[in-house]
Amino acid sequence: MSTSQTTTTEHHPALAHQFDSMEQQQDASTFGMWVFLLTEIMMFGGLFTAYLIYRLKYYPAFVAGSTSISVGWGFANTLVLIGSSFTMAMAVWAAQKGYRKSQVWLLLATMVLGAAFLGVKAKEYYDKWDECHIPGHVIGKGFNTWGGCSVTNKSLGNIAEEIRDPKHHGNPNIPEGAAEQTARQTEIFFSFYFAMTGLHAFHMVIGLGLLTWLLLRARGGEFGPSYYTPVELGGLYWHFVDIVWIFLFPLLYLISRHQHGV
Amino acid sequence: MSTATAIVKPVMPERHYLNDNYGIRSWLLTKDHKRIAILYLFSISFFFLLGGIFAALIRLHLLTPNGELFQADTYNKLFTMHGVNMVFFFLIPSVPAVLGNFLMPIMVGAKDLAFPKVNLLSWYIYMVGATFSLIAMVSGGVDTGWTFYAPLSSGYLRTHVIAMAVGILFAGFSSIFTGLNFIVTVHRMRAPGMTWGRLPLFVWANYAASLIMILGTPVLAITLILLALERGFHIGIFDPKLGGDPVLFQHMFWFYSHPAVYIMILPGMGVVSEIVTCFSRKRVFGYSFIAFSSIAIAVFGFVVWAHHMFVAGISVYSALVFSLLSYAVAIPSAVKVFNWTATMYKGSVKMDTPMLYAVAFIGLFTIGGLTGLFLAALGLDVHVHDTYFVIAHFHYVMVGGMVTAYMGGLHFWWPKLTGRMYPEAPAKLAAIVTFIGFNLTFFPQFILGYLGMPRRYWAYPPEFQVLNVLSTAGASILSVGFILPLLYFLYSLKYGEVAGDNPWQATGLEWETSSPPPTHNFHQIPVVTKEPYAYGEDAEVPVVH
Amino acid sequence: MQSNIPIFPEQASSMAAQVDSLYLFLVLITTFFSLLIAILILIFAIKYRRTPERQAEQIHGSTLLEIIWTVIPLGISMVIFVWGAVIYYHMERAPSNPLEIYGVGKQWMWKFQHPNGQREINTLHVPTGRDVKVTMISQDVIHSFFVPAFRVKQDVLPNRYVFTWFRATVPGTYHLFCSQYCGTKHSGMVGDVIVMTPDDYSTWLASGKAEGSLASLGEKAFQQYGCTTCHRPDSGARGPNLQGLFGRPVRLVDNRVVLADDNYIRESILEPNAKVVSGFQSIMPTFRGVVSEDEIIAITEYIKHLAPQEANPLNNRSTPTQIRDSEVPNIQQQNMQQEKQQQENKQQPQKTPQGTRPANPSGKKP
């Protein structure tokens, strides 16, 4: 672009050699990020589709499994993530305006909230471990044979009981035999619970890594009105991961809270 | 080269991307798309060789009906590893990652791809995937078949399925990054005057393939992750013993793997469009029809996956829909074939090696495509499904199509890659030998398939032996056709004639820069003022220095 | 030479000729278009070969031609689509009143059971001139039942019954292949389909050492697993009455209506709480891992043979009464017909000498 070369005022230090101008660079980078998020949507989409198929097939078990995870913590985590999206959006704004200190603090706040989310997730995972709700096994046989759990102990038992316990929104009219079978099928629910939240948490960890990198660069004062693309792209990614959670939360935590199926 | 214009003997440019700097670091840390293309060329050639050796062993084994050469489990590993290597580590990256990587930025008039670091990363990710797959192969192999059908792969076989799945997962991410780079480059990096209507058809074809890479591959990734989780932790996603559904695996697998065959053929079609126009010295016939048929194939390709499952226990009505849609993909393919043929009409045709490969492609792809109609026809597919008919069909498309196009493209752009010509006479011989060997190998398999010989059989009834022997004989000829180019390409690196910027007197921006191109592709960013394939316009050499 | 290289498989079923005619039509189309393209390329390559005197004539394209070569392939492919769909539809629809044979696939063998209790492994005897419906399930991975001479193929799944059907026409021995890769000895999962004349077939049926009809084996299993404790035809029963159940719609607790077919019965044994009949509680334990696929088939066959509801009017809670009879296809009639036929089959053999298997009539393999 020999003509436009003369119109661009100066060669910005962040301008990569393959681009003609900062506008082209930002435009291409943002477009690339959107294309990447499209691939992410397809990836989560495949997982969501499989989840929905099994949810239709084993609806009562999915209700029972969903009842056994904590809506309170899930909701708290939703708020935490929405908060982090807000601080992230503010960080992008600060970068755009060139407010160096605000950038750093806002990015740090986002990271703290992200870490808090992961902390809560870890607590929830530990609860599942404690209740023997971890699906599958490596050695031994049957559902819940991790960490000293066995088929006979509380694992199946507590879900089967909860299915029939009105205190846990259960239905006492459900016969014991049926409750036990349903409890056994919750293994598939938990498989998806861990696969979906695990993949999401993995994205959060990558997000934290990205934020750390952005934080270091923001501290060095790299971002300002003429160049803030990395912060903007980090923001896009972070919002995407949040949105995935916005879908995960109702899908996993809020299946028919008012009553058990069968 | 050909006509009287070559009065001045061409000389190698003083500085180009190959001699800009030296040393292993300058290659392993390069961000130059051309060097990355060369890295890919070496990597995929290795896997092509490996996959070829497996193929040769398979054919050798099938000389006798009773399975005398290998044990059954060894044979199963051979065909699995042949399939995995060829599909995921050779065919999918072949034209896009080598020729596409090299040419896409130059063809649109850019200095590099939009994200050179991501491009290098994609090669490293490919190598990580390749390492996993090599580990799986060396430590005992995998015998699931390249389709990994559950619950066989998730719960029954004792081989290294997880390592192989992880290897493919990485290879998949590598192709996602390549696709992403191509899409952004085509959208945002075109030179002044390079409108969408002026893009070379090679760019259109790779753009369409990139769409599939970015939209389909993630689904394969999640499918393989679920498979590995099921296998590793014994959870029931696909295994009915644990409450899963094995047919769901097939849906998810083919949702990627059917469109993936278009990743494997579309870029080949792009190569052929370039070669046919150049060697007919003619504008392409029906530019927009060829361009849009690529996009049509990519889009329709996403809604036909269940035609691999007509006998898998899906409902009659969904089978009807998928069969109907499969014919929708056939039409744009037919349109391309007719347009290429029409491009030769009243041209000035020269049958140099690339053109030999291109016309071989058109012929073999026609047979491969038409036999696809057999498989899309519901009542007939019931009989030929999972037989050698299917094997023959997709080898006509994959080898007769994509590998032929890849070889054609490699010859066509070899002078651009290296600055030197390959020797014409042995190259022509290799093209002809490949064509004969290929047909002798795979044509008997159509007959075998209709007779009912199932695929993946270690031993087979004796009445199928004659056709199998013919096929093996063909394979030995075919292998000569593939080894010859390896030899004369290496020879040409040192002794080949210096090619000059535009040995074929072709149009296209890649021929306007020097051979090999400088690191930043152009000494001056070109301004495009002409339609693509403007062969008639200023009769002879359109060189701009 | 010709006898050594077969190029066409035998036609031994009513379907074979239909499939082959579509195949030949497609071979014709393929040959025509491949030759058309090849000859055009050849002509253009020679006629328009590069010479110093002649320049290429630039042509941009022709919308008319594009339309022509879009519409003609579209038309042809629609013909192929409809043709293929018609054959497929025919293949996928169960024939009325077939001879029912059950198959179980496992790594790496085929097991078949005939209605009279005759069992065989890796061979399947069938009569000519009669629709044979093979209902199959797998014990482990996915297999595929493939008889090239009949042009039939069906993947055999581990989680539900699938069926295929054929009407054999020519007596002989034909290949049976597993065509879905199923592990190490996939290519060993082969067998013979032996097609016999109806007379020879009934002779063969009688010659085996069947321990009683499939239904009677099912009855034994039914009692052995204690099913009779709950599934009784009286008003105090804790489980639905199964008499006359098969093939009829059943209303479930959630008001859905499902058809009581093979898959429903199998699911009810393995996952009893998945589809609980209206008016009953889900108290039945699962029999997963307890009862084998063979036994489920036998029990299903037994349930099919249970007399219809009218004979036992005591249990008015039982399912069929909840659905009006007008909604029900004439299943009972079919059942009765079938039974009659089976009785005939049973009677015939008594006249023929036992113990000797009939020689393969006009064996296929040279």
Side-chain angles (χ1 to χ4, degrees):
Chain A
M1 214 179 281
S2 45
T3 46
S4 67
Q5 212 111 56
T6 50
T7 55
T8 22
T9 46
E10 231 170 73
H11 196 276
H12 194 283
L15 179 63
H17 75 91
Q18 71 272 24
F19 295 111
D20 293 326
S21 64
M22 288 303 280
E23 293 80 49
Q24 191 195 20
Q25 174 167 342
Q26 185 186 7
D27 196 29
S29 308
T30 315
F31 185 69
M33 194 63 192
W34 280 106
V35 174
F36 176 71
L37 294 183
L38 205 59
T39 71
E40 290 275 22
I41 289 173
M42 291 306 288
M43 182 152 163
F44 278 101
L47 193 54
F48 278 42
T49 309
Y51 163 85
L52 287 172
I53 286 167
Y54 286 110
R55 175 175 152 148
L56 278 176
K57 193 170 174 185
Y58 299 111
Y59 186 67
F62 272 53
V63 172
S66 173
T67 316
S68 87
I69 53 180
S70 162
V71 191
W73 285 116
F75 185 63
N77 250 353
T78 310
L79 292 181
V80 166
L81 270 197
I82 291 175
S84 80
S85 254
F86 176 71
T87 54
M88 188 69 222
M90 293 298 288
V92 176
W93 168 80
Q96 220 167 343
K97 293 281 175 197
Y99 304 148
R100 190 165 142 193
K101 264 201 179 146
S102 329
Q103 274 177 59
V104 172
W105 282 110
L106 284 163
L107 285 173
L108 207 60
T110 312
M111 287 176 69
V112 168
L113 289 171
F117 175 91
L118 287 176
V120 171
K121 203 75 237 159
K123 189 237 179 286
E124 287 185 83
Y125 279 5
Y126 178 76
D127 286 349
K128 292 288 105 183
W129 171 272
D130 207 35
E131 290 172 274
C132 295
H133 287 171
I134 309 290
H137 62 95
V138 172
I139 8 169
K141 53 178 179 175
F143 185 17
N144 300 318
T145 44
W146 297 85
C149 297
S150 74
V151 188
T152 49
N153 75 7
K154 57 181 181 172
S155 62
L156 266 182
N158 77 7
I159 293 182
E161 275 162 28
E162 281 172 14
I163 289 171
R164 306 175 67 236
D165 187 352
K167 268 185 256 163
H168 287 87
H169 315 280
N171 179 359
N173 295 327
I174 294 170
E176 240 173 275
E180 207 170 292
Q181 281 170 51
T182 306
R184 196 165 285 121
Q185 288 163 354
T186 55
E187 183 168 6
I188 292 191
F189 170 81
F190 286 118
S191 302
F192 276 102
Y193 170 77
F194 282 103
M196 292 164 95
T197 57
L199 190 64
H200 177 259
F202 176 69
H203 278 81
M204 293 285 295
V205 172
I206 289 183
L208 286 180
L210 281 175
L211 287 175
T212 315
W213 176 67
L214 289 175
L215 186 71
L216 293 175
R217 292 181 68 181
R219 260 187 53 181
E222 269 190 54
F223 306 126
S226 62
Y227 178 62
Y228 57 93
T229 314
V231 189
E232 197 187 13
L233 299 191
L236 274 179
Y237 176 83
W238 192 261
H239 296 320
F240 169 79
V241 177
D242 283 4
I243 288 169
V244 171
W245 178 259
I246 298 297
F247 281 96
L248 283 178
F249 176 62
L251 277 179
L252 292 170
Y253 289 75
L254 302 178
I255 310 175
S256 187
R257 295 303 296 193
H258 52 285
Q259 60 158 59
H260 276 292
V262 179
Chain B
M1 263 304 287
S2 51
T3 47
T5 49
I7 303 162
V8 188
K9 207 167 180 196
V11 286
M12 287 287 258
E14 233 167 77
R15 284 177 74 78
H16 49 79
Y17 79 103
L18 289 169
N19 67 4
D20 216 11
N21 45 27
Y22 293 97
I24 199 97
R25 269 174 63 91
S26 77
W27 280 91
L28 291 182
L29 296 177
T30 182
K31 277 173 266 165
D32 179 2
H33 64 101
K34 299 179 288 300
R35 286 197 166 197
I36 296 170
I38 301 296
L39 291 176
Y40 263 118
L41 176 63
F42 280 106
S43 328
I44 70 161
S45 299
F46 171 75
F47 277 98
F48 185 48
L49 193 69
L50 202 62
I53 290 170
F54 290 140
L57 293 175
I58 291 169
R59 283 308 335 158
L60 211 56
H61 174 86
L62 292 175
L63 267 177
T64 56
N66 300 322
E68 277 146 3
L69 188 54
F70 298 111
Q71 298 290 313
D73 58 339
T74 313
Y75 177 79
N76 295 345
K77 285 172 187 171
L78 284 175
F79 71 67
T80 301
M81 296 188 294
H82 166 70
V84 169
N85 279 337
M86 287 302 202
V87 169
F88 296 107
F89 293 97
F90 172 69
L91 281 169
I92 287 179
S94 62
V95 171
V98 178
L99 298 175
N101 234 334
F102 194 96
L103 294 163
M104 289 283 280
I106 306 183
M107 281 182 165
V108 301
K111 282 178 262 179
D112 204 323
L113 284 169
F115 310 115
K117 283 185 210 158
V118 173
N119 195 20
L120 180 64
L121 182 67
S122 101
W123 180 73
Y124 274 103
I125 293 179
Y126 173 89
M127 292 309 282
V128 172
T131 311
F132 270 102
S133 113
L134 283 175
I135 289 172
M137 285 189 270
V138 170
S139 62
V142 178
D143 57 350
T144 56
W146 79 276
T147 46
F148 292 96
Y149 272 19
L152 180 70
S153 61
S154 64
Y156 287 86
L157 295 170
R158 296 267 161 269
T159 48
H160 300 81
V161 181
I162 293 182
M164 195 54 113
V166 171
I168 294 169
L169 194 69
F170 276 102
F173 279 111
S174 133
S175 84
I176 287 178
F177 287 144
T178 303
L180 189 152
N181 238 329
F182 284 179
I183 287 179
V184 177
T185 305
V186 172
H187 272 271
R188 293 289 188 263
M189 309 283 284
R190 282 171 283 128
M194 179 56 87
T195 59
W196 285 88
R198 288 177 180 169
L199 285 175
L201 289 166
F202 180 79
V203 175
W204 272 104
N206 274 287
Y207 179 79
S210 304
L211 286 179
I212 303 172
M213 288 181 194
I214 63 155
L215 294 176
T217 320
V219 178
L220 175 76
I222 201 70
T223 310
L224 291 174
I225 289 172
L226 289 176
L227 183 77
L229 286 177
E230 169 156 320
R231 193 176 165 85
F233 301 123
H234 304 270
I235 57 175
I237 311 271
F238 304 122
D239 187 349
K241 279 216 168 62
L242 301 166
D245 183 356
V247 178
L248 179 66
F249 176 85
Q250 298 178 24
H251 278 294
M252 292 180 77
F253 179 82
W254 289 116
F255 181 85
Y256 165 75
S257 295
H258 188 76
V261 308
Y262 301 118
I263 300 179
M264 297 180 237
I265 192 69
L266 279 168
M269 292 169 159
V271 171
V272 170
S273 300
E274 300 295 320
I275 296 177
V276 169
T277 48
C278 174
F279 289 88
S280 304
R281 310 222 58 74
K282 255 192 71 183
R283 277 168 182 269
V284 71
F285 195 91
Y287 171 87
S288 48
F289 290 92
I290 298 188
F292 283 111
S293 63
S294 290
I295 305 295
I297 289 173
V299 172
F300 286 133
F302 273 105
V303 289
V304 299
W305 76 87
H307 69 208
H308 294 264
M309 300 165 63
F310 289 154
V311 300
I314 61 172
S315 86
V316 177
Y317 300 101
S318 62
L320 287 174
V321 172
F322 280 106
S323 167
L324 186 63
L325 289 169
S326 302
Y327 288 104
V329 181
I331 306 303
S333 312
V335 167
K336 278 178 190 284
V337 168
F338 288 123
N339 276 306
W340 290 322
T341 312
T343 301
M344 291 174 70
Y345 174 68
K346 292 199 171 171
S348 170
V349 180
K350 189 147 193 294
M351 281 291 169
D352 283 332
T353 312
M355 189 61 172
L356 282 180
Y357 278 111
V359 295
F361 173 98
I362 298 173
L364 298 177
F365 176 74
T366 302
I367 297 177
L370 285 164
T371 50
L373 300 183
F374 290 61
L375 296 163
L378 287 161
L380 188 50
D381 180 63
V382 169
H383 178 60
V384 288
H385 180 77
D386 271 339
T387 65
Y388 267 77
F389 192 92
V390 177
I391 308 283
H393 158 70
F394 72 68
H395 279 89
Y396 263 82
V397 179
M398 300 288 94
V399 184
M402 188 62 159
V403 178
T404 303
Y406 173 70
M407 293 305 290
L410 213 51
H411 284 85
F412 185 51
W413 284 295
W414 189 254
K416 189 53 67 180
L417 262 68
T418 64
R420 290 180 186 275
M421 293 301 292
Y422 58 86
E424 187 66 29
K428 272 187 178 152
L429 179 72
I432 292 165
V433 167
T434 308
F435 184 79
I436 294 169
F438 172 81
N439 280 298
L440 189 55
T441 311
F442 292 105
F443 198 82
Q445 296 185 4
F446 281 123
I447 302 168
L448 267 179
Y450 201 71
L451 284 172
M453 178 165 167
R455 66 192 289 196
R456 297 169 172 175
Y457 260 33
W458 166 74
Y460 55 85
E463 67 259 33
F464 298 147
Q465 192 177 6
V466 178
L467 288 164
N468 270 299
V469 170
L470 272 179
S471 182
T472 303
S476 55
I477 298 174
L478 187 59
S479 63
V480 173
F482 285 134
I483 290 169
L484 265 176
L486 185 71
L487 301 177
Y488 62 72
F489 274 146
L490 287 175
Y491 165 87
S492 78
L493 285 180
K494 190 146 188 226
Y495 305 104
E497 230 180 291
V498 174
D501 293 354
N502 192 359
W504 310 117
Q505 281 141 46
T507 64
L509 293 179
E510 79 269 31
W511 302 110
E512 295 185 14
T513 185
S514 56
S515 308
T519 300
H520 293 315
N521 294 345
F522 301 100
H523 299 293
Q524 193 186 353
I525 289 293
V527 177
V528 182
T529 54
K530 274 182 291 191
E531 302 299 305
Y533 316 112
Y535 278 103
E537 290 195 353
D538 40 35
E540 279 310 313
V541 205
V543 182
V544 181
H545 274 291
Chain C
M1 198 55 187
Q2 211 185 346
S3 61
N4 283 339
I5 313 173
I7 56 162
F8 217 72
E10 298 136 305
Q11 297 181 334
S13 78
S14 56
M15 203 72 75
Q18 292 181 45
V19 175
D20 287 351
S21 48
L22 175 56
Y23 174 73
L24 287 176
F25 175 70
L26 272 161
V27 168
L28 219 66
I29 297 275
T30 305
T31 315
F32 173 75
F33 280 102
S34 304
L35 283 180
L36 177 74
I37 296 293
I39 289 170
L40 280 178
I41 288 178
L42 214 65
I43 290 175
F44 293 166
I46 295 166
K47 191 168 173 201
Y48 304 121
R49 71 186 176 280
R50 191 170 300 174
T51 51
E53 302 87 58
R54 208 180 53 82
Q55 291 275 314
E57 206 171 302
Q58 297 304 325
I59 307 163
H60 282 242
S62 149
T63 312
L64 179 68
L65 271 179
E66 301 286 349
I67 291 171
I68 288 174
W69 61 49
T70 304
V71 170
I72 290 180
L74 189 69
I76 294 173
S77 58
M78 283 308 103
V79 171
I80 302 167
F81 164 70
V82 172
W83 194 338
V86 168
I87 297 176
Y88 184 71
Y89 196 70
H90 190 44
M91 283 172 170
E92 291 293 311
R93 268 186 47 170
S96 57
N97 188 28
L99 169 65
E100 294 225 35
I101 295 175
Y102 292 92
V104 175
K106 60 173 279 195
Q107 285 179 328
W108 291 277
M109 62 166 78
W110 295 102
K111 297 187 286 186
F112 295 102
Q113 303 186 53
H114 294 256
N116 79 332
Q118 181 82 277
R119 290 152 176 272
E120 43 188 338
I121 288 178
N122 286 347
T123 47
L124 174 61
H125 289 75
V126 290
T128 54
R130 172 110 200 253
D131 292 342
V132 177
K133 180 182 172 194
V134 190
T135 304
M136 292 169 292
I137 194 152
S138 162
Q139 239 168 270
D140 36 49
V141 300
I142 301 174
H143 301 283
S144 193
F145 176 90
F146 178 32
V147 184
F150 295 168
R151 314 286 189 274
V152 295
K153 182 181 289 123
Q154 176 63 52
D155 276 13
V156 180
L157 302 173
N159 54 339
R160 62 187 161 92
Y161 292 104
V162 292
F163 76 88
T164 187
W165 74 274
F166 48 83
R167 181 194 282 258
T169 49
V170 185
T173 305
Y174 305 101
H175 289 300
L176 162 65
F177 292 127
C178 172
S179 61
Q180 180 65 267
Y181 176 62
C182 59
T184 311
K185 290 182 188 142
H186 168 53
S187 61
M189 195 167 161
V190 294
D192 290 324
V193 175
I194 297 162
V195 177
M196 310 168 116
T197 59
D199 286 347
D200 289 340
Y201 175 67
S202 37
T203 315
W204 172 81
L205 269 187
S207 69
K209 303 183 287 273
E211 304 154 33
S213 75
L214 195 52
S216 72
L217 290 175
E219 188 175 8
K220 255 182 240 161
F222 198 75
Q223 279 155 1
Q224 183 199 328
Y225 289 112
C227 311
T228 39
T229 327
C230 298
H231 295 287
R232 286 175 296 158
D234 63 62
S235 55
R238 291 191 293 165
N241 179 16
L242 304 181
Q243 305 210 304
L245 166 75
F246 193 85
R248 303 189 61 154
V250 175
R251 195 178 300 282
L252 306 181
V253 278
D254 54 6
N255 264 329
R256 275 184 301 161
V257 176
V258 296
L259 186 74
D261 57 6
D262 296 354
N263 278 314
Y264 169 76
I265 291 172
R266 180 172 178 274
E267 188 185 23
S268 298
I269 295 171
L270 299 178
E271 297 289 347
N273 70 337
K275 296 194 177 102
V276 179
V277 176
S278 169
F280 292 90
Q281 292 211 318
S282 50
I283 47 170
M284 180 171 157
T286 173
F287 284 81
R288 189 178 283 281
V290 177
V291 56
S292 74
E293 293 292 352
D294 293 10
E295 283 170 325
I296 296 175
I297 287 170
I299 290 169
T300 310
E301 186 70 8
Y302 167 64
I303 291 171
K304 276 186 197 173
H305 280 74
L306 284 174
Q309 176 68 16
E310 283 75 36
N312 302 277
L314 283 172
N315 183 354
N316 58 6
R317 289 193 305 154
S318 65
T319 52
T321 52
Q322 306 207 341
I323 307 292
R324 269 177 286 114
D325 266 23
S326 56
E327 293 174 34
V328 181
N330 51 349
I331 302 284
Q332 287 126 302
Q333 255 186 334
Q334 285 180 16
N335 280 352
M336 266 143 62
Q337 272 184 343
Q338 221 174 330
E339 246 163 35
K340 240 186 244 168
Q341 215 135 25
Q342 266 151 14
Q343 272 166 0
E344 279 167 15
N345 283 349
K346 271 178 216 161
Q347 281 161 3
Q348 268 183 346
Q350 287 171 351
K351 296 169 200 156
T352 53
Q354 294 205 353
T356 49
R357 280 171 64 152
N360 290 341
S362 65
K364 180 207 62 162
K365 287 177 188 167

